[in-house]
Amino acid sequence: MVQVTLRIQAPVEEVFAVLADGWLYASWVVGASHIRGVDDEWPQVGARIHHSVGPWPLTIQDTTAVRAVDPPFGIELDARLWPFGAAVVRLELRATGPAACEVVMSERAVRGPGRLLPHAVQTLVLTPRNRESLSRLADIAVGRHQAAP
């Protein structure tokens, strides 16, 4: 799996709250451009986010589903982008203080042409993208934390 880590100056619960709000998915996931719908059960196992990926009007419609969840410490997703394939994405949250945590994001292609790419190529493509995704996640969580009464 390709793995990136970021320390965020917000409590685990507040970072997980961003992950638990499916309507925010396109705000922090690089490449996701529009949320068309979120299952009422999100983020329970099996629940899906219905999203578009890419720039308009060349968007691809697909879904991301919850494979496993352990609130507020982690979530594992099946992120689809057909016809290119699908990936398992795991986000693990660990408290590092009363108002700080570390988030580890791991991803690996599991279906489609992406899984045929050598690990080194997947690393070259996914590492900068996932660093930016975690940076966006941090911005939202820190902003919410600072705005909280």
Side-chain angles (χ1 to χ4, degrees):
M1 292 189 99
V2 176
Q3 194 172 80
V4 296
T5 303
L6 183 66
R7 187 177 167 130
I8 299 177
Q9 295 301 311
V12 166
E13 294 80 10
E14 291 191 29
V15 176
F16 189 83
V18 176
L19 301 174
D21 184 343
W23 291 102
L24 291 176
Y25 187 79
S27 299
W28 65 271
V29 174
V30 172
S33 58
H34 177 73
I35 303 303
R36 300 184 327 274
V38 177
D39 290 357
D40 291 338
E41 301 81 20
W42 184 270
Q44 296 175 23
V45 172
R48 297 180 302 164
I49 294 174
H50 307 266
H51 55 75
S52 302
V53 178
W56 183 88
L58 306 173
T59 58
I60 297 171
Q61 316 293 316
D62 222 323
T63 61
T64 291
V66 177
R67 293 170 48 102
V69 63
D70 180 22
F73 303 107
I75 190 166
E76 185 173 284
L77 305 171
D78 181 46
R80 295 173 31 111
L81 181 57
W82 213 253
F84 303 106
V88 171
V89 179
R90 183 179 308 133
L91 293 122
E92 299 172 77
L93 291 72
R94 298 183 199 114
T96 57
C101 68
E102 180 179 82
V103 179
V104 178
M105 183 176 186
S106 307
E107 182 172 357
R108 73 179 156 86
V110 293
R111 292 188 303 280
R115 73 177 174 78
L116 301 175
L117 293 174
H119 181 74
V121 174
Q122 287 189 42
T123 299
L124 278 172
V125 172
L126 295 175
T127 297
R129 175 185 173 271
N130 290 351
R131 276 194 187 122
E132 177 62 20
S133 290
L134 285 185
S135 178
R136 293 176 185 190
L137 176 66
D139 289 343
I140 296 167
V142 169
R144 286 176 149 199
H145 178 63
Q146 290 174 346

